[in-house]
Amino acid sequence: MLITPMTPSAPLAGRRIRAAVIGTGAIARGSHLPALAQLAAEGETEVVAAVDIDAGAVEAFCAEGRVPHAYTDLERMLAEQRPDLVTICTPPTLHREQSVAALRAGAWVWCEKPPVPTLADYDAVEAEEGPESGPYASIVFQHRFGSGSAHVRRLLAEQAMGRPLVAHCQTTWYRDTAYYAVPWRGRWQTEGGGPAMGHGIHQMDLLLDLLGPWSEVRAMAGRLVHDVETEDVSTALVRFENGAMATIVNSVLSPDEVSRIRIDCEQATVELTHLYGHSNANWRITPAPDVPGDRAAAWQDFGTDVPSSHLAQLRALVASMRAGERPRSSGADGRTSLELITALYKSAFTDTTVKRGEIGPGDPFYTALHGGAPGWAPAAAPVPTEVSA
């Protein structure tokens, strides 16, 4: 079905934002729909439709969530319902096609991580965005949002605790063989990558959001336990433009699971320890011994506790939509984490240091995170070539 291209509707002010959910699995049920429902209760949104290739699944989702229209065809839904916002909750291999379709129909996009399998895919989606006031495609990076991350981001931007010097970023989780029995997991073509892409991306994105642009990375990756195409553990050394140096560990081999970021500044250490989401209580700031008490006390004032969540990010996205402004975690801001992950893989598989900005069209890692590297590329599978949207 052909969709007549839409221009972004100006009059979002004064009416509810019409939203549609694509994919009705666990993340849609557990995170997206509750966030949309909360904003609906506040008069901000209304969920007008859901789409899934499984007719029974989408009908059950709509019945449970009181969503009026169930579809198994995305383009038909876009043509008939004309949503303002589409939230994408499908496996990564579908994200590019679905994001492009939604943007061309005039809908803003909020897409689950990993955003798309490659930088080539990301750039193809971004090329479909509106030139000035949208629609834009943003990525679900909910760990950036909430009072704790906002407070620490502000302290670091102002260098209130001195220059950031040393950082550690850790996503050490545990996934068993049953987890990888899901057909699209552990495969380059459908998941994009292993724990660096599918698990550690949240903490790496938050680290970049706090510290700013990275400049170079040196990495290793291994396939130590699981019989998969991708890695199941990686480590990296990262240098930032501000001079800070960081270590990054991403693992699905770690029974004692934790997500952690630690940043040592000249006058204090900031540490976040959690698993899948954080509140003010998960942050700790330890001042250096010679820091005056009143100054250290000011650093501890995180304000009203707003936990990181899909709801917190959705609130910000809706505000951006109403203002006609590019939201956070979209465009270049959303691309930075994917670029770091791509560089991590290239460094690990080529035994080289990779600098920011060096991976572009013509580089094999631009179109596949394995880059065709011996021992990592799928057997008898050529490196994908870039195709137009």
Side-chain angles (χ1 to χ4, degrees), residues 104-143:
R104 288 180 176 176
W108 292 52
V109 172
W110 193 34
C111 182
E112 267 298 331
K113 62 81 186 169
V116 283
T118 69
L119 287 172
D121 293 322
Y122 190 95
D123 292 345
V125 171
E126 189 177 0
E128 298 291 338
E129 294 180 330
E132 295 180 358
S133 58
Y136 298 115
S138 60
I139 311 305
V140 176
F141 284 138
Q142 75 274 18
H143 291 224

Side-chain angles (χ1 to χ4, degrees), residues 145-167:
F145 296 82
S147 52
S149 52
H151 177 63
V152 171
R153 186 185 310 111
R154 186 165 49 251
L155 292 177
L156 291 169
E158 297 170 353
Q159 292 198 359
M161 301 174 292
R163 293 180 299 120
L165 304 173
V166 183

Side-chain angles (χ1 to χ4, degrees), residues 6 8 10 34 38 61 168 225 233 241 261 272 308 310 355 374 379:
M6 286 182 64
Q38 177 58 42
F61 179 88
H168 307 276
V225 172
V233 63
E241 283 190 357
I261 288 177
L272 168 65
S308 68
H310 283 67
K355 297 185 181 298

Side-chain angles (χ1 to χ4, degrees), residues 58-334:
V58 70
E59 288 168 4
F61 179 88
C62 289
E64 294 167 12
R66 299 183 180 180
V67 178
H69 301 288
Y71 289 86
T72 56
D73 186 301
L74 172 60
E75 292 196 353
R76 181 180 177 186
M77 185 280 292
L78 292 170
E80 293 181 357
Q81 297 302 323
R82 297 294 193 184
D84 305 302
L85 172 65
V86 165
T87 75
I88 297 179
C89 309
T90 54
T93 189
L94 302 173
H95 289 176
R96 171 176 171 168
E97 177 185 352
Q98 293 171 342
S99 295
V100 167
L103 289 167
R104 288 180 176 176
W108 292 52
V109 172
W110 193 34
C111 182
E112 267 298 331
K113 62 81 186 169
V116 283
T118 69
L119 287 172
D121 293 322
Y122 190 95
D123 292 345
V125 171
E126 189 177 0
E128 298 291 338
E129 294 180 330
E132 295 180 358
S133 58
Y136 298 115
S138 60
I139 311 305
V140 176
F141 284 138
Q142 75 274 18
H143 291 224
R144 292 188 186 195
F145 296 82
S147 52
S149 52
H151 177 63
V152 171
R153 186 185 310 111
R154 186 165 49 251
L155 292 177
L156 291 169
E158 297 170 353
Q159 292 198 359
M161 301 174 292
R163 293 180 299 120
L165 304 173
V166 183
H168 307 276
C169 181
Q170 176 184 355
T171 305
T172 44
W173 295 355
Y174 186 80
R175 298 293 183 266
D176 59 15
T177 54
Y179 175 84
Y180 284 104
V182 177
W184 59 268
R185 288 180 177 150
R187 299 178 182 273
W188 295 108
Q189 185 65 29
T190 50
E191 192 169 20
M197 182 69 155
H199 304 85
I201 188 171
H202 274 308
Q203 296 313 298
M204 287 188 283
D205 180 76
L206 179 54
L207 182 72
L208 291 169
D209 193 51
L210 295 174
L211 288 184
W214 62 278
S215 59
E216 61 181 358
V217 60
R218 194 71 164 83
M220 294 188 297
R223 192 186 293 124
L224 304 185
V225 172
H226 295 291
D227 183 17
V228 293
E229 291 180 353
T230 65
E231 88 289 2
D232 55 17
V233 63
S234 67
T235 65
L237 303 175
V238 181
R239 191 187 307 274
F240 286 80
E241 283 190 357
N242 61 16
M245 299 174 65
T247 62
I248 295 177
V249 179
N250 300 303
S251 166
V252 289
L253 311 178
S254 309
D256 184 8
E257 296 184 295
V258 70
S259 304
R260 179 178 291 121
I261 288 177
R262 171 178 169 142
I263 302 173
D264 295 320
C265 300
E266 291 176 297
Q267 298 165 15
T269 292
V270 180
E271 188 167 16
L272 168 65
T273 304
H274 66 117
L275 188 56
Y276 299 136
H278 54 82
S279 64
N280 288 353
N282 296 111
W283 294 83
R284 183 177 66 181
I285 299 179
T286 304
D290 58 348
V291 172
D294 57 343
R295 192 173 175 199
W299 297 342
Q300 308 291 345
D301 184 7
F302 283 76
T304 302
D305 191 6
V306 178
S308 68
S309 65
H310 283 67
L311 176 59
Q313 183 174 1
L314 183 60
R315 286 191 193 282
L317 174 57
V318 166
S320 295
M321 291 179 67
R322 295 197 182 282
E325 298 174 348
R326 177 176 288 282
R328 292 177 62 199
S329 77
S330 70
D333 183 47

Side-chain angles (χ1 to χ4, degrees), residues 96 118-121 124 189 360-372 381-389:
R96 171 176 171 168
T118 69
L119 287 172
D121 293 322
Q189 185 65 29
D363 188 308
F365 287 88
Y366 183 68
T367 50
L369 291 188
H370 57 72
V383 177
T385 56
E386 189 175 356
V387 295
S388 64

